[in-house]
Amino acid sequence: MADKKDYYEVLGVDKKADEAKIKNAYRKLAKKYHPDSNPGDADAEAKFKEASEAYAVLSDPEKRKQYDRFGHSAFDGSGGGGGGFDFSNMGDIFSEFFGGFAGGGSGNSWFDDLFGGRASRSRGPEPSRGADVRVSTRITMHEAFTGTIKKINVNFKGECSSCHGSGAKAGTSPEKCHKCGGTGQVVFTQQSFLGMMRSVGECPDCHGTGEIIKEKCPDCRGSGYKAAAKTIEVNIPAGIDNGQFVRIQGKGDPGYKGGTRGDLLVGVSVTNDTEFARDGYDLFSEVYINYPTAVLGGEVNVKTIDGEVIYEVKPGTVSGTRVRLRGKGMPTVRNRNTRGDLYITLIIEVPSKLTEEQTEALEAFRKTLTGKEKIKGKGKKKGIFGKNQ
Ligand SMILES: [Zn+2]
Ligand SMILES: [Zn+2]
């Protein structure tokens, strides 16, 4: 951890910076390097993580004090247990900045990829949290619009009913490991050219559990768990986007030695819609208008995700004109009454077959053209000769 950058330096603030300043600095960095805006960019990801770690420490008065006194060694875990930074409270920080949903989890796939979720620690003699269970489901854009309930089959670890999770055969119980005295850790001594080296590691006899099972439960082969399948109804909030997660607390694998259960993470994929494209909470579609309406103006029916609306086309509308219909996009996950916008691109349709009467009318119209009509938009745009006029 010697090459770790100073947290103040990472956020670009000085050591006397107050809470608001630190928050502001992090907000800027987080926005810039957010995985959602830099997909697949490992460098941005590292910077995002670095800034998040710095913020997690400096935004917490107690941790900041420790950091000011001891530097990075305050958190490097040299005091025992695994090393590394504890990201367990990052979920709260992120929900403050980026919003979270469904049980207070981050709800973001990148969050778990980046920070390893709130995964269980290695098995030790202490109770530990169960692992998160991941499943996925597919919904339509209309379901994403309304929100939906999906029945999902989940395979997770269930407690073995024969041994009640102890892993020992019925009538027996696990014994304290003699090698480590039940601590799960042993001190290794090694002869090296520097002299005797001591290091602490997982007990090889009990694999860190602190217990030895003499007679294994035949039903679970000593694991204490059995595969269990269950159908769970998952409430998928309106506004959810492709690739997002719904986190259901306490529906993952059971914890170890009374530790809390892990969470169920439901990855949601939203199928492409034939009518609407989506970007964030905004929707995009194409609306065809006929030539007279484009020239003279008039009403057209516009299909939105929740029904038709009438749009008044302005006279002299050019093909390709994009119009915004406010509040006709997707609802936001946080509040379904707040919605994005619908952008419609107006395209003038060219009929491929006309009746005799229509042809005559168009021919008559053509005869009236003098070539001196004022044409909307002409000459305003950058021409094909690449010169601005
Ligand atoms: Zn069992
Ligand atoms: Zn042991």
Side-chain angles (χ1 to χ4, degrees), residues 145 239 276-278 280-284 304-306 325-332 336 338-343:
F145 174 78
F276 301 102
R278 175 175 181 177
Y281 291 117
D282 292 333
L283 292 175
F284 301 83
T304 74
I305 191 134
D306 59 339
L325 304 185
R326 271 178 203 276
K328 288 291 174 192
M330 295 295 276
T332 59
R336 69 164 64 214
T338 308
R339 288 172 62 179
D341 302 325
L342 169 64
Y343 290 89

Side-chain angles (χ1 to χ4, degrees), residues 60-377:
D60 181 328
E62 204 43 55
K63 283 188 184 152
R64 188 176 175 182
K65 229 190 261 168
Q66 276 180 290
Y67 177 70
D68 287 343
R69 277 190 71 185
F70 304 111
H72 288 298
S73 62
F75 311 105
D76 70 10
S78 55
F85 186 81
D86 180 15
F87 280 105
S88 58
N89 68 338
M90 289 306 280
D92 301 326
I93 287 167
F94 283 123
S95 62
E96 187 191 336
F97 276 99
F98 310 113
F101 52 89
S106 68
N108 290 302
S109 54
W110 53 261
F111 176 86
D112 296 298
D113 292 343
L114 229 54
F115 300 110
R118 284 174 282 167
S120 55
R121 302 218 172 91
S122 69
R123 270 186 156 214
E126 300 298 317
S128 64
R129 186 177 172 276
D132 291 338
V133 172
R134 288 159 190 270
V135 291
S136 61
T137 187
R138 185 172 278 277
I139 62 170
T140 66
M141 195 177 283
H142 287 265
E143 286 175 316
F145 174 78
T146 54
T148 182
I149 292 170
K150 282 270 158 185
K151 282 188 178 162
I152 295 172
N153 287 321
V154 184
N155 285 307
F156 54 87
K157 283 180 183 173
E159 194 183 271
C160 172
S161 56
S162 308
C163 63
H164 302 288
S166 78
K169 192 177 169 182
T172 72
S173 51
E175 289 171 23
K176 201 190 234 182
C177 174
H178 289 303
K179 186 157 187 119
C180 60
T183 62
Q185 289 189 331
V186 285
V187 176
F188 294 98
T189 40
Q190 232 176 352
Q191 184 66 42
S192 81
F193 67 94
L194 292 171
M196 288 292 260
M197 300 280 285
R198 285 159 62 87
S199 60
V200 178
E202 190 182 274
C203 171
D205 281 18
C206 63
H207 304 291
T209 62
E211 288 176 342
I212 296 283
I213 297 166
K214 281 242 166 88
E215 280 185 273
K216 284 181 180 170
C217 165
D219 283 351
C220 62
R221 290 194 219 100
S223 71
Y225 300 119
K226 262 185 154 176
K230 209 174 177 182
T231 304
I232 287 184
E233 284 195 345
V234 179
N235 201 344
I236 297 174
I240 197 156
D241 205 348
N242 190 38
Q244 289 183 319
F245 276 83
V246 175
R247 183 188 285 271
I248 303 165
Q249 271 178 334
K251 294 284 183 193
D253 280 344
Y256 175 66
K257 286 204 168 175
T260 53
R261 286 191 91 102
D263 297 340
L264 177 66
L265 294 170
V266 183
V268 179
S269 46
V270 182
T271 48
N272 285 335
D273 194 78
T274 51
E275 250 147 332
F276 301 102
R278 175 175 181 177
D279 182 19
Y281 291 117
D282 292 333
L283 292 175
F284 301 83
S285 69
E286 288 179 342
V287 173
Y288 284 81
I289 58 175
N290 60 42
Y291 181 68
T293 304
V295 178
L296 305 172
E299 289 181 347
V300 286
N301 287 330
V302 174
K303 217 169 168 183
T304 74
I305 191 134
D306 59 339
E308 280 194 354
V309 295
I310 289 171
Y311 175 73
E312 181 80 34
V313 178
K314 289 197 185 79
T317 290
V318 179
S319 196
T321 299
R322 196 151 89 167
V323 188
R324 172 160 71 171
L325 304 185
R326 271 178 203 276
K328 288 291 174 192
M330 295 295 276
T332 59
V333 169
R334 292 181 128 184
N335 178 1
R336 69 164 64 214
N337 295 318
T338 308
R339 288 172 62 179
D341 302 325
L342 169 64
Y343 290 89
I344 53 170
T345 301
L346 300 169
I347 295 168
I348 298 174
E349 58 190 5
V350 177
S352 57
K353 235 180 183 175
L354 294 176
T355 64
E356 212 170 300
E357 192 187 359
Q358 287 168 331
T359 308
E360 274 169 21
L362 265 183
E363 284 292 0
F365 172 67
R366 177 150 69 183
K367 277 186 195 135
T368 67
L369 292 173
T370 60
K372 290 195 174 111
E373 288 79 14
K374 212 175 163 196
I375 305 296
K376 180 119 186 216

